[in-house]
């Protein structure tokens, strides 16, 4: 799965290079940003040969997101003044799981036991590489800002999520770790404001989703730890544009 994710990233890079026009026909953009990442509660399940456990509404920590994006905006409008862009976005966040007690159920040999279960801390680190397909609406054009000083935009596309867990006490023996590579998606909307012709600030709301699977062992039995990670972000950033 990791090789497949790296192959997708390589294809995305090749696509960007093949589509990238010269400076005369496009605007080249370099973004740096940070903000908050807010991951929704979701079920967490552990599957082994004869045992299945599901924990309901496990809480994930809010965290800091940091990242960067390189993009090309094509000058030729696709509809009226609406223009198209393509970008490569890389970011990192940490939706850790703290100690908590949740409702759940455990099935063994056809017998299901429901009740409250303790979830011990799990550190989760995520690096994502996304392909952005973008559109923007240039507003307030002028001599100094021919593409518009104010630019609302939309972005959407696939992303490859490289996640890693460090587990302490949920399985025996403790202190287990594993990595996963999963394809998901990201969408977002934002607003750019030019300070000067080659420098702008922006704010962005975005959402990402992916479903990782990590390998774990419990008393010598191999299993899978599975969940869905749905995250909302609020970002602010600085943009260099040429």
């Amino acid at each position: 799965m990791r090789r497949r994710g790296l192959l997708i990233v390589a294809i995305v890079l090749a696509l960007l290079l093949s589509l990238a026009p010269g400076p005369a026909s496009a605007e080249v953009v370099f973004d740096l940003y940070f903000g908050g990442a807010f991951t929704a509660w979701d079920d967490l399940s552990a599957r082994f040969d004869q045992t299945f456990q599901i924990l309901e509404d496990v809480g994930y920590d809010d965290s800091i997101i940091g990242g960067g994006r390189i993009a090309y905006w094509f000058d030729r409008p696709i509809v009226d003044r609406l223009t198209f862009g393509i970008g490569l976005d890389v970011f990192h966040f940490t939706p850790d799981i703290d100690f908590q007690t949740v409702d759940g159920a455990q099935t063994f040999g056809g017998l299901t036991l429901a009740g409250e279960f303790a979830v011990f801390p799990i550190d989760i680190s995520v690096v994502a590489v996304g392909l952005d397909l973008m559109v923007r609406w240039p507003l307030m054009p002028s001599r100094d800002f021919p593409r518009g000083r104010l630019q609302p935009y939309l972005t959407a596309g696939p992303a490859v999520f490289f996640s890693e867990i460090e587990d302490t006490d949920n399985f025996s023996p403790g202190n287990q770790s594993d990595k996963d590579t999963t394809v998901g998606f990201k969408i977002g909307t934002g607003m750019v404001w030019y300070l000067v012709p080659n420098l702008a600030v922006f704010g962005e709301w975005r959402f990402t989703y992916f479903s990782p699977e990590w390998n774990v062992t419990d008393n010598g039995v191999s299993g899978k730890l599975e969940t869905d990670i749905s995250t909302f972000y609020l970002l602010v950033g600085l943009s260099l544009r040429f």
Side-chain angles (χ1 to χ4, degrees):
M1 192 65 182
R2 175 170 291 274
R3 291 181 179 178
R4 183 182 303 174
L6 293 173
L7 178 60
I8 292 174
V9 173
I11 293 173
V12 169
L13 287 171
L15 180 62
L16 286 174
L17 291 174
S18 66
L19 292 179
S25 61
E27 184 180 37
V28 183
V29 176
F30 299 93
D31 292 336
L32 289 176
Y33 59 81
F34 72 97
F38 311 95
T39 300
W41 293 12
D42 214 307
D43 294 346
L44 181 67
S45 63
R47 299 177 181 270
F48 297 91
D49 288 342
Q50 299 182 8
T51 304
F52 172 72
Q53 183 180 52
I54 183 166
L55 305 172
E56 300 175 354
D57 293 330
V58 173
Y60 294 87
D61 288 351
D62 299 336
S63 65
I64 299 297
I65 176 178
R69 174 169 53 205
I70 179 172
Y72 296 90
W73 285 100
F74 299 93
D75 281 339
R76 178 175 295 179
I78 53 177
V79 177
D80 195 5
R81 289 183 296 166
L82 197 68
T83 56
F84 171 75
I86 186 170
L88 186 67
D89 186 26
V90 181
F91 57 96
H92 173 259
F93 67 106
T94 55
D96 297 337
I97 295 174
D98 288 333
F99 176 81
Q100 56 197 280
T101 302
V102 299
D103 293 333
Q106 184 170 357
T107 300
F108 179 79
L111 178 65
T112 299
L113 175 65
E116 289 190 342
F117 295 85
V119 182
F120 293 92
I122 303 176
D123 293 335
I124 305 174
S125 177
V126 181
V127 174
V129 180
L131 170 63
D132 283 349
L133 306 176
M134 304 177 292
V135 292
R136 68 180 177 183
W137 185 263
L139 301 176
M140 301 173 60
S142 65
R143 179 178 176 181
D144 290 334
F145 306 97
R147 296 183 176 95
R149 188 166 192 179
L150 181 65
Q151 298 177 355
Y153 64 90
L154 298 172
T155 176
V160 181
F161 294 86
F162 303 92
S163 60
E164 182 175 4
I165 62 167
E166 295 282 347
D167 178 71
T168 53
D169 299 308
N170 290 288
F171 307 99
S172 180
N175 299 320
Q176 298 187 37
S177 64
D178 191 45
K179 299 178 180 180
D180 177 74
T181 302
T182 308
V183 178
F185 69 88
K186 63 187 292 284
I187 59 174
T189 182
M191 189 82 68
V192 172
W193 174 259
Y194 280 78
L195 301 175
V196 294
N198 295 116
L199 181 66
V201 293
F202 67 93
E204 181 176 312
W205 172 93
R206 73 171 54 165
F207 171 78
T208 65
Y209 172 85
F210 70 106
S211 299
E213 295 182 359
W214 300 290
N215 295 313
V216 293
T217 60
D218 193 26
N219 295 312
V221 180
S222 298
K224 293 281 188 182
L225 189 64
E226 305 171 346
T227 191
D228 296 328
I229 296 184
S230 306
T231 307
F232 300 86
Y233 311 82
L234 291 175
L235 314 173
V236 293
L238 191 66
S239 183
L240 295 176
R241 297 173 170 239
F242 303 97

